[in-house]
Amino acid sequence: MTTKQTKNPKVAVPVITTEKTPIAQALQNHLIFSAFKTSEASTPRDWFVATGHTVRDHMVERWAKTAEAYNAQDPKRVYYLSLEFLIGRMLQNAALNLGIEPEVKQGLSALGHKLEEVVELETDAALGNGGLGRLAACFLDSMASMDIPGTGYGIRYEYGMFRQSISQGQQIENPDNWLRYGNLWEFQRPESHYPIKLYGRVVEFPTPKGTESHWVDAESVMAIAYDMPIPGYNTETVNTLRLWSAKAAREFDLAHFNDGNYEKAVEERNAYENISKVLYPNDASVLGRELRLKQQYFFVSASIQDILRRFLSKHDDWTVLPDKVAIQLNDTHPAIAVAELMYQLVDVHHLKWDQAWKITGKVFAYTNHTLMPEALETWAVDLFANLLPRHLGIIYRINHEFLQLVNHKFPGDTDLLSRVSIIDENNGRRVRMAHLAVIGSHTVNGVAALHSELLRTTLFADFNRIFPGKFINITNGITPRRWLNQCNPGLTKLIDKVIGPDFHRDLSKLRGLEALAEDADFRKTFREIKRSNKERLAKRLEHLTGVRLNPNALFDVQIKRIHEYKRQLLNVLHIITLYNRIRSGQAKDVTPRAVIFGGKAAPGYWLAKLIIRLINDVAAIVNEDSAVGDKLKVVYYPNYEVSAAELLFPGSDLSEQISTAGTEASGTGNMKMALNGALTIGTLDGANVEILEEVGKDNIFIFGLTTEEVAEVKANQYNPWDYYHGNAELKQALDMITGGFFSVDEPDRYQAIGEALLNNGDHYLLLADYASYIATQDEVGKLYQNQEEWSRKAILNVARVGKFSSDRTIGEYADKIWGVKRLDH
Ligand code: 26Q
C-alpha cells in the first residue's frame, strides 16, 4: 500500500493513488476504505466488498462515457419495460465482461484468497420469477455487448423471489431480504424522481378546442430511480438498468402527526412505500390484486415520464418521438404504458388525440410469453376505474375507435367485435391487457417459431386478420457470457483452445467443433470436463441434502418452475417405473441414474406444492432402499435460483424438456443445457422444435404427441383411464402414488394427484405420453452405456446450438422491431 508520512513519524496514512494501481493494490485499498477493515480483522465478506468495489471502479469511466456518447449522438434508443429482471449475481459477470477476470483472480490469490470463493458470498438479485425475468437479464447483457443503446426499466423490489427451503419434504417460503447487507451495484439517483398519481376522479372541461379531461383529487407517491450498470462483453459500452423505488410524497400526513396520531401517520406512509416492497411470486396464473396493478402503473408512469423528459431535453417536435424511442413491453405486465403515453401526450403535453395515437402506435411493441388462458391478464373494470379513472377513459376511447375500424373492415360481425374488444363483457366486465397491448403496438412477437405460429392461429387469430403482418416470431436466446463462459470455464477453455476465441462474439462459430466430435482424444477431454462439473455439483448436493450421488451415474435433470404443464409428474412416473423394475429384478444392467429436480412452486399453487412433496417422498423411499443402491437416486435441489443454475447446467447429462406440446412458449433452460453438453429428452414444444432442427434428430430424444395430435386427442374425448388400464407399469406406478406407498403415515396424501390425472381429465395428457416417454428414456439409458457415442452427440449439441445466443435474438429485435443501430465509440 502507498503511504504518506505525516509529521508524527508513527502515523502512516494510506492514500489511494489516482494512477492505475494494480488490482492487488486496489483490493487492499478497498479493504481499508470501503470495507473499513484491516486485513487482520477482515472476514470473507469484507473481501467480497473489496473485490466488488475494485471491479466497480473499472465500470465508472465507461459508464459515464457511454452516457456521454448517447447524449452527444442522440441515437434512437430502446427501453425494455419489464416487471422482472432476474439478474443473479453481478461480480463475476462484471469482471468477465470488463475483461479483468484473470487479473482479479491473480490479485486475490496474491492476497491469499480465491475468486471462486469470494463470488459465492454475493446474494442473487432475484427480481424475477423464472424464464421471462431471466430473458430480460440476458437481453440487457446482449444489448450492452452489441453496443445497442438500451435501457431496462423495472421495480427495485425490496424483497425478490422468496427463498425456498425444503422441510419434511415440503416447500417453505422465506422472505428474500436481498438488500440486507447493501447492494454494491446500485446507485440512488435522488435527482431522478417523479410523482405518480393514483385514485381520484376525472372532470371534463369544455374548451373552444373540445373537451379536456382533468385527473383531479388524486393521491401521489414518488418514484425514485436506482441505477445499475450493465457492462457489455469486450466493449466500452456500459448500459443502465433503472429500477424505481416508491417513497411517500410527504414524510407523514402532518395533520395526523400533529394530532398525536403517529401510528396513523406512519401507516399511510407505509401504504405508499409498499408498492415496491415485494415481487409477486406467481408466474403462470394471475390474481387480480390491486397492489399488483399499482406496481404496474407505478413503474410504467415513472418510466414514461423519464423517457419523455429525456426526449424533450433534445427535441420539441413530437412527431420525432418514434425516431428516437422504441419501447418493448415484456408481456402484458407493463401494457398500461399504452394508455400512459396517451395520457402524457394528450393531458399533460396537450397534443391532439389523433396525433398522439399515431405516435403511440409507432413507439410500442409487445412480446407475448404465454398461451395459457389462466395467465392472460385481465382487470375488473371497477378496480381499474377506482385506481386509474383517467386511464380507463383513455382505454374506452382507444377501444371505441378500434371497434369502429374493425366494423368498417368486417361489417356486421358482432361476434368478432365482442371477441376483440379490450373490454370483456362476458365475465363481469374486465379489461383485457393483451388486447390493449396488441392494439397499441406496431409489432407483436412470440418467443419461438411454434409459439408464434400458435399465436397467429389461435390466441390472436382475429387480430391477425385485422392487422396482417403485425405478428412475427423472434426465437429466444441466452447470453453465452453467463451460460457458457462464466458457468463452465473448463469447457470454455477447451473450446478456446481448439477453435480460437471467435465464438465469444459470434456463437454460431461453435460449428467449428463439429469435426472434433469424431476425435477420440477430444471426446475424452470433453468427458473429463463434464465429469469434473458433475463432481462439483454432487459435492454441493451432498452438502445441501445429505444425498450422495455417484458421478458415474447419468445425471438426469429437470430444473424449472413447478407447474402441471411442465409435467414434473411424468418424470416422477418414470422414476417409479424404474424403481419397480429394479425391485422386481428386471433391471439387472440398467444404467445408474441420478434424477435431480429443482424449482419453486407459487405459494398459492397447492397442487404444485404437492408435486414437490411427492418428489421428496419418492426420493426418501428410493434413496433408502438397499435393493436400489447406486442404480437410482432422486434429489431435490432446494432454492433453485440463477446462481444454482450456473452449477446445475454444466453438471447435467440429460435435459428434461417434457411439457405437453403447445404449452411451453419457448423454454430457455433447454438452450442452456444443450450449450453445456447435455442431451435433451423433450416434446415437440417451444424452442425444442428449433433445437431439434439445429442439432439433428439423431442427437436429441424426441417423444410424445405433437401439438396437432394433442388437439386431436382432446377433441376425441380423451379418457386417461384407457391408458391406465392399457399399461401395467403405468397402473402400478399410479396405484403406488394414490395408494400411499410413498406416504405410509398419510395414505391419502396424494389422492389429489390421482384425481387430476384420472378423474379430472388429465389436462396435460401425461397418461397419453407415458408409454412414449418411458420407451425413449430406455433408449437414453442404453445410449449412456456407450460413452463414446454419448459424448459424440453431446459435442454435436454444443457445436450446433449457436443460434440460441441472445446476441442473435437481440439483433433480430433491433432490425425487425426497434430500428436501432449499434453505436460506435
Ligand atoms: C402476472 C400477473 C400478476 C402476477 C404475476 C404475473 C406473471 C408473472 C410472471 C405472469 C407470468 C410470469 C412469467 C412468465 C414466464 O416466465 N414465461 C416464460 O417466458 C419464457 C421467456 O420467453 C419462456 O421461455 C417460457 O416458455 C415462458 O413460460
Side-chain angles (χ1 to χ4, degrees), residues 773-792:
Y773 182 55
I774 299 294
T776 309
Q777 284 285 23
D778 290 346
E779 279 177 49
V780 169
K782 217 180 285 155
L783 181 74
Y784 196 73
Q785 302 198 349
N786 184 345
Q787 282 290 296
E788 293 298 339
E789 265 299 285
W790 183 279
S791 25
R792 203 179 66 79

Side-chain angles (χ1 to χ4, degrees), residues 563-594:
H563 199 291
E564 288 159 273
Y565 84 80
K566 295 178 188 282
R567 300 201 294 192
Q568 278 91 358
L569 276 177
L570 185 56
N571 192 340
V572 173
L573 288 172
H574 172 244
I575 293 170
I576 299 173
T577 305
L578 277 184
Y579 178 56
N580 290 337
R581 288 180 186 172
I582 294 168
R583 284 194 314 154
S584 65
Q586 299 167 60
K588 287 270 173 330
D589 42 38
V590 71
T591 303
R593 267 191 208 241

Side-chain angles (χ1 to χ4, degrees), residues 84 131-132 282-283 286 292 333 369 447 476 565 664-667:
E84 307 194 4
L132 166 149
N282 42 326
D283 70 326
V286 294
R292 169 76 179 187
H333 315 157
H369 297 265
V447 290
N476 280 167
Y565 84 80
E664 188 71 272
S666 159

Side-chain angles (χ1 to χ4, degrees), residues 80 83-84 128-136 139 279-289 292-293 295-296 330-333 367-372 374-379 446-448 451 474 476 561 565-566 663-671 685-687 813:
Y80 199 81
L83 262 278
E84 307 194 4
N129 271 286
L132 166 149
R134 183 54 230 176
L135 187 75
F139 282 6
L279 166 78
Y280 275 91
N282 42 326
D283 70 326
S285 64
V286 294
L287 23 99
R289 293 278 165 79
R292 169 76 179 187
L293 186 58
Q295 289 187 334
Q296 297 184 347
N330 199 20
D331 215 294
T332 56
H333 315 157
T367 305
N368 172 287
H369 297 265
T370 187
L371 291 155
M372 310 273 290
E374 64 267 38
L376 296 176
E377 249 191 314
T378 64
W379 292 100
V447 290
H451 169 63
I474 299 190
N476 280 167
R561 289 299 289 260
Y565 84 80
K566 295 178 188 282
T663 62
E664 188 71 272
S666 159
T668 44
N670 46 3
M671 303 167 186
D685 198 18
Y813 276 93

